[in-house]
């Protein structure tokens, strides 16, 4: 299972950008603790150091719904602004959303067409009498690269594959960025008043408040069990 997740400050002020960066650290720690593979696909830095406007993460695991259930939605941080000390506001909201309907471009060496030719020098003259240069074309996208760095055809082929993979990945990033522009409504729909998680202070881990009521349910279950035992 793969899911594309976006953590965003929702076009909020600098405080929200700071919260986005802090929440990202906590989020990735829990991702690692749950043995979930991840890849940061795109990040937009904030207006100050150590701040983020948004970050998009690709998650990979057999099951992600249970983990994401405690994250998707609005996140609230309660605290005084370190950027504007006289600011009266104490609740700052960011959002975590799932980006759906976006397929990652699959890259396979089977989809590459290779063509060898002689390496070219300045002015177009051939510098080698053998075909050591390599042109590689990614058939599904039509992207192509040329490698003549080495006198070895095999080494040039390896370089061409690396460069072509990076170029195709760049197409995916552009596709993603366009999708992000088309989904700015997500950024503007960060819900206030009903956060899935609440943090306070500068230590986000220790001050995290669980909004799932799991602890309360467990306490009630334990009390009900004790009551049954007493009745028996």
């Amino acid at each position: 299972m793969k899911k594309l997740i976006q953590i965003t400050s929702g076009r909020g002020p600098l405080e929200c950008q700071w919260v986005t960066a802090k929440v990202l650290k906590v989020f990735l720690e829990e991702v690692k603790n749950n043995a979930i593979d991840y890849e940061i696909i795109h990040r937009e830095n904030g207006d100050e150091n150590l701040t983020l406007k948004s970050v998009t993460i690709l998650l990979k695991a057999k099951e992600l719904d249970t983990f994401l259930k405690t994250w998707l939605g609005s996140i609230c941080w309660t605290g005084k602004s370190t950027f504007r000390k006289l600011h009266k506001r104490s609740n700052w909201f960011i959002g975590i959303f799932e980006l759906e309907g976006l397929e990652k471009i699959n890259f396979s060496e089977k989809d590459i067409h290779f063509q060898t030719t002689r390496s070219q020098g300045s002015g177009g003259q051939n510098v080698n009498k053998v075909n050591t240069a390599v042109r590689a074309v990614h058939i599904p996208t039509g992207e192509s690269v040329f490698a003549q760095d080495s006198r070895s055809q095999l080494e040039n082929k390896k370089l061409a594959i690396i460069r072509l993979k990076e170029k195709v990945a760049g197409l995916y990033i552009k596709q993603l960025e366009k999708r992000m522009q088309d989904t700015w409504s997500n950024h503007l729909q960060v819900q206030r008043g009903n956060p899935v998680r609440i943090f306070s202070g500068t230590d986000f881990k220790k001050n995290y408040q669980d909004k799932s009521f799991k602890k309360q349910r467990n306490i009630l279950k334990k009390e009900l069990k004790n009551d049954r035992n007493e009745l028996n």
Side-chain angles (χ1 to χ4, degrees):
M1 177 182 290
K2 296 181 181 179
K3 287 185 180 290
L4 207 55
I5 305 302
Q6 187 180 63
I7 305 176
T8 171
S9 61
R11 284 185 177 174
L14 191 56
E15 291 82 1
C16 294
Q17 298 175 19
W18 178 79
V19 173
T20 299
K22 298 290 286 187
V23 167
L24 173 63
K25 292 182 179 180
V26 179
F27 181 81
L28 292 182
E29 284 181 7
E30 290 198 16
V31 163
K32 295 174 184 176
N33 291 337
N34 283 272
I36 298 173
D37 292 330
Y38 75 92
E39 178 183 355
I40 294 180
I41 301 297
H42 178 275
R43 63 189 296 154
E44 184 178 358
N45 292 328
D47 297 321
E48 294 285 348
N49 290 335
L50 304 178
T51 66
L52 282 173
K53 291 183 178 179
S54 68
V55 59
T56 304
I57 310 163
L58 180 65
L59 300 180
K60 304 175 186 178
K62 291 183 178 180
E63 209 285 321
L64 288 170
D65 291 335
T66 301
F67 171 78
L68 289 176
K69 191 175 182 179
T70 65
W71 277 105
L72 295 181
S74 64
I75 308 292
C76 176
W77 177 72
T78 301
K80 294 296 181 181
S81 170
T82 57
F83 302 100
R84 296 177 287 175
K85 294 183 179 180
L86 298 179
H87 201 283
K88 295 181 180 180
R89 181 176 169 184
S90 59
N91 292 325
W92 309 91
F93 292 87
I94 69 166
I96 300 184
F97 304 96
E98 179 183 350
L99 293 179
E100 299 178 346
L102 185 64
E103 295 183 359
K104 190 170 183 178
I105 297 175
N106 293 319
F107 184 88
S108 172
E109 293 184 19
K110 295 179 180 179
D111 295 327
I112 302 176
H113 172 71
F114 295 100
Q115 182 181 3
T116 58
T117 183
R118 293 182 182 181
S119 295
Q120 302 292 315
S122 59
Q125 71 269 27
N126 292 327
V127 295
N128 286 332
K129 295 183 179 180
V130 293
N131 294 341
T132 57
V134 175
R135 182 180 299 279
V137 180
H138 186 244
I139 298 173
T141 62
E143 294 294 319
S144 64
V145 296
F146 184 75
Q148 61 173 7
D149 303 57
S150 172
R151 293 185 178 182
S152 165
Q153 183 184 114
L154 180 60
E155 290 300 317
N156 284 329
K157 184 176 181 180
K158 291 178 180 179
L159 286 172
I161 293 174
I162 293 173
R163 291 172 183 173
L164 192 58
K165 187 174 182 179
E166 291 176 350
K167 200 168 185 180
V168 172
L171 281 181
Y172 173 65
I173 296 298
K174 291 179 181 178
Q175 181 185 3
L176 174 60
E177 289 175 344
K178 183 179 184 302
R179 173 64 184 272
M180 289 174 65
Q181 292 298 322
D182 295 339
T183 56
W184 265 114
S185 57
N186 275 353
H187 292 243
L188 300 176
Q189 291 174 359
V190 177
Q191 297 180 357
R192 270 72 171 171
N194 189 30
V196 294
R197 293 196 179 204
I198 298 176
F199 297 94
S200 61
T202 56
D203 191 336
F204 275 53
K205 290 189 295 185
K206 292 183 180 179
N207 292 280
Y208 159 56
Q209 298 178 23
D210 191 346
K211 299 293 288 183
S212 66
F213 301 104
K214 183 178 180 180
K215 292 182 179 178
Q216 290 89 330
R217 287 197 299 269
N218 289 335
I219 292 173
L220 287 174
K221 287 180 181 179
K222 188 175 181 179
E223 290 177 350
L224 287 172
K225 185 177 181 180
N226 292 334
D227 290 343
R228 290 196 197 98
N229 292 335
E230 289 179 1
L231 289 173
N232 294 331

